[in-house]
Amino acid sequence: MENNVRPADMRRINTAELAEAFIAEQVEKVRAQVGEKKVLLALSGGVDSSVVAALLIKAIGKQLVCVHVNHGLMRKGESEQVIEVFRNQLDANLIYVDATDRFLDLLAGVEEPERKRKIIGGEFIKVFDEEAGKLEGITFLAQGTIYPDILESDGVKAHHNVGGLPEDMQFELVEPVKLLFKDEVRVVGKALGLPVSMVERQPFPGPGLGVRCLGAITRDRLAALRESDAILREEFAKAGLADKVWQFFTVVPDFRSTGVRDGRRAFDWPVIIRAVNTVDAMTATVPQLPWAVLETVTSRVLAEVPGVCRVLYDLTPKPIGTIEWE
Ligand code: XMP
């Protein structure tokens, strides 16, 4: 597939001007490809699908139908941000599906990490397929494929991502950022006016919080995970660490430990802080976080998150520990 090869003389898109030129060129290309027809896009709220959505809205407006599936494993405020940015600000044609109960019911009692991933990925495809089946006159499927996807996996977007879509869907693909590297996609996203918090988002696994709520997912631990993760992100942002640490999040294991709360013994969950720096996610180091930040996160988590009585900082580099706990 020669049009899947980045031309040797293609300039790196690293300025607003180059991004504007790229956008103008792609808008024309997409219009020529799509004509009056409709395009479907699974919009996760991740950098790639968000940038593709914004680009296509510019090119074809309401001919783009975005489907955002909330699998109940999103971080705090993420689905709300997708709705706010795309439906309210960009006036997109956005179908929002809250499939939380479907996913959590299927995952109930499932402990094994790869089975959890399979269930989440499989159900995502089912929900998306169902929504696509309700729509009429869709000819094209847009995807946030980027150049590393092509280099690493024969052009299949997100091989181990929940974003993978049914292979038997009979659509022609629209992939406007498929020759771009991640940093270029971010520059294009900014030029399209997407919020920095969306465009500069740290990597977030397709199965979302599902692989950070260890073992069999329960709603109480998932809530503790979401709240503690939000606190961590808030404190990292306040301390100016958000763009200095590559990936950071919390993990809630499926064992409890003893604590004392209001003069009584408590038997509650620990929260583990994971923060890593890496270039390619193959190896990773653990940053020496400022003690004050760790203390603030700890005291806020203990005060604000029900069911948690202990906070730990994971010092394990990769190898031997992977970045995620599952
Ligand atoms: P590990 O845990 O393997 O993670 O050191 C390396 C990077 O990959 C991300 N990751 C995933 N991303 N689906 C994804 O889309 C997954 O199932 C998955 N598992 C890990 C992880 O967040 C880290 O950035």
Side-chain angles (χ1 to χ4, degrees), residues 38 40 128-129 132 137-141 165-173:
K38 282 190 185 162
L40 182 64
F128 186 76
D129 223 0
I138 303 278
T139 316
F140 296 89
L141 182 72
L165 292 173
E167 279 168 15
D168 59 352
M169 278 191 162
Q170 298 301 311
F171 295 124
E172 191 183 317
L173 292 180

Side-chain angles (χ1 to χ4, degrees), residues 114 117 158 160-163 203-208 211-212 246-247 249 274 276 278 280-282 284 318 321-326:
E114 291 314 310
R117 280 190 170 79
H160 74 163
N161 226 333
V162 168
F204 186 56
V211 289
R212 297 175 181 171
W246 194 80
Q247 198 174 12
F249 52 87
R274 185 73 169 139
V276 294
T278 178
D280 56 8
M282 302 299 285
K318 176 181 179 177
T322 49
I323 295 174
E324 302 291 343
W325 269 55
E326 284 191 338

Side-chain angles (χ1 to χ4, degrees), residues 23 25 27 34 80 175 183-184 188 220 223 227 273 286:
I23 293 164
E25 184 190 322
V27 162
V34 167
E80 291 81 357
E175 298 177 300
D183 55 309
E184 299 177 298
V188 169
D220 57 345
E227 286 306 314
I273 298 170
V286 176

Side-chain angles (χ1 to χ4, degrees), residues 101-117:
D101 289 338
R102 263 177 86 155
F103 280 83
L104 295 188
D105 288 351
L106 271 180
L107 287 163
V110 180
E111 289 180 6
E112 211 272 310
E114 291 314 310
R115 258 201 78 209
K116 286 164 69 175
R117 280 190 170 79

